[in-house]
Amino acid sequence: GDSVTQMEGPVTLSEEACLTINCTYTATGYPSLFWYVQYPGEGLQLLLKATKADDKGSNKGFEATYRKETTSFHLEKGSVQVSDSAVYFCALLTGYSTLTFGKGTMLLVSP
Amino acid sequence: DTGVSQDPRHKITKRGQNVTFRCDPISEHNRLYWYRQTLGQGPEFLTYFQNEAQLEKSRLLSDRFSAERPKGSFSTLEIQRTEQGDSAMYLCATTPSGSNTGELFFGEGSRLTVL
């Protein structure tokens, strides 16, 4: 079945550091890929998505590129802020299925 | 606030009791999903509705769980004879009709603790 594997957290960074959160997937067919973010005390919200190979999703300074050859969708940001502290979930969607989420990666950014 | 609303936010109950959670969707969002999230895990799909029709149920949804959306607006998720393993965050999410883009709008969740 479909599955998503994310790097374990927490990831602890200082403000303005570079961020990479790894995500790899296993899926039948050609999935759409997503990053969701959950800020403290809030519901999950969509951060970015990519629907086909080599697409790059971007939002709020975050980027992720759909790499079919490595079945990956790593989340990157060049300079993190304290306000980026949250839990990040990688997810995939195939056909008429429902979203399959990874376990989440907590990011802690200190001033 | 016009987001997805869930009630109650927290529920503590004793094993064997029944509990019910309610979800009020964003208006005009006809698809409604229930997910469960346990500590350290990502959300796991339970069931979804298109208007009042329940179109898919996960094998995670045992016969103690029942979900309804009688008028195609709000939805309820009932758990009968709760067990300690039911302790989790129950998430509701909605999306516009006909859309399976994966772009879900989540509520803040209802946290269940079974003692």
Side-chain angles (χ1 to χ4, degrees), chain A residues 1-107:
Chain A
D2 299 342
S3 66
V4 175
T5 302
Q6 296 181 228
M7 61 188 290
E8 289 195 19
V11 174
T12 305
L13 295 173
S14 297
E15 205 165 24
E16 299 183 3
C18 295
L19 169 71
T20 299
I21 299 178
N22 292 334
C23 171
T24 57
Y25 67 90
T26 302
T28 53
Y30 302 97
S32 295
L33 301 173
F34 305 81
W35 279 100
Y36 275 78
V37 59
Q38 187 171 29
Y39 298 104
E42 298 184 15
L44 280 84
Q45 55 187 273
L46 179 65
L47 179 60
L48 54 83
K49 73 172 194 177
T51 58
K52 60 184 187 295
D54 300 325
D55 269 1
K56 177 185 285 187
S58 61
N59 187 24
K60 299 182 180 180
F62 290 88
E63 294 182 339
T65 301
Y66 188 142
R67 301 289 189 196
K68 183 181 175 184
E69 63 277 12
T70 55
T71 61
S72 65
F73 192 55
H74 304 322
L75 183 67
E76 299 177 326
K77 188 173 186 182
S79 176
V80 295
Q81 305 300 310
V82 172
S83 57
D84 294 327
S85 297
V87 182
Y88 293 82
F89 294 91
C90 186
L92 67 82
L93 178 72
T94 55
Y96 288 92
S97 71
T98 55
L99 279 173
T100 299
F101 287 88
K103 293 184 177 182
T105 303
M106 180 178 288
L107 170 65

Side-chain angles (χ1 to χ4, degrees), chain A residues 36-47 60 86-89 101, chain B residues 1 3-6 9 37 43 89-93 104-110:
Chain A
Y36 275 78
V37 59
Q38 187 171 29
Y39 298 104
E42 298 184 15
L44 280 84
Q45 55 187 273
L46 179 65
L47 179 60
K60 299 182 180 180
V87 182
Y88 293 82
F89 294 91
F101 287 88
Chain B
D1 183 22
V4 177
S5 177
Q6 293 190 243
R9 295 290 309 281
Q37 185 178 16
M89 180 76 86
Y90 290 86
L91 303 174
C92 178
L104 300 185
F105 295 79
F106 282 85
E108 294 181 12
S110 292

